Amino acid sequence: RRLGERWAIDGMWVTWDVGRRDTRPLRQRRHRLETLFGRVVDLSVSGAGIVAPTDDRFRVGSTLLIEAEGCRGTVAIHQIVETGVEGLTRYGV
């Protein structure tokens, strides 16, 4: 259950390691593990909504290593919602 109000956020981006080795050619790699970018669309004291590329391996309960503005942590996916835009999904964490 959500604690407090959820506030719309604009311009905050996060990265998360998807837990698999990046197999792209060396010149295209930035990290040892494959990294996805997501845009935070809303935020509350207990969670956030993040729009990111769809990944069929993500399920409710999946945990991800996340980084936002230099801070790292772990989040669990609690909700997965289609956005209506092909290739993008809203993840409630």
Side-chain angles (χ1 to χ4, degrees):
R1 233 166 55 157
R2 182 174 306 129
L3 301 173
E5 252 184 277
R6 192 161 284 238
W7 298 89
I9 298 291
D10 189 34
M12 183 176 185
W13 291 84
V14 296
T15 60
W16 53 41
D17 293 334
V18 298
R20 64 180 176 255
R21 189 176 165 85
D22 192 340
T23 58
R24 294 178 297 171
L26 282 174
R27 67 181 179 281
Q28 294 177 350
R29 294 183 202 175
R30 291 185 61 210
H31 304 283
R32 184 173 56 82
L33 296 177
E34 188 175 342
T35 302
L36 293 180
F37 291 87
R39 183 173 54 91
V40 178
V41 293
D42 54 52
L43 189 63
S44 77
V45 73
S46 62
I50 301 172
V51 174
T54 301
D55 192 319
D56 294 333
R57 291 169 293 179
F58 294 167
R59 305 272 186 261
V60 171
S62 296
T63 58
L64 302 166
L65 299 174
I66 194 168
E67 183 173 340
E69 299 185 10
C71 298
R72 294 180 183 189
T74 303
V75 296
I77 296 175
H78 292 283
Q79 184 182 50
I80 299 174
V81 179
E82 293 182 21
T83 62
V85 177
E86 187 176 338
L88 292 177
T89 299
R90 183 188 178 282
Y91 297 96
V93 299

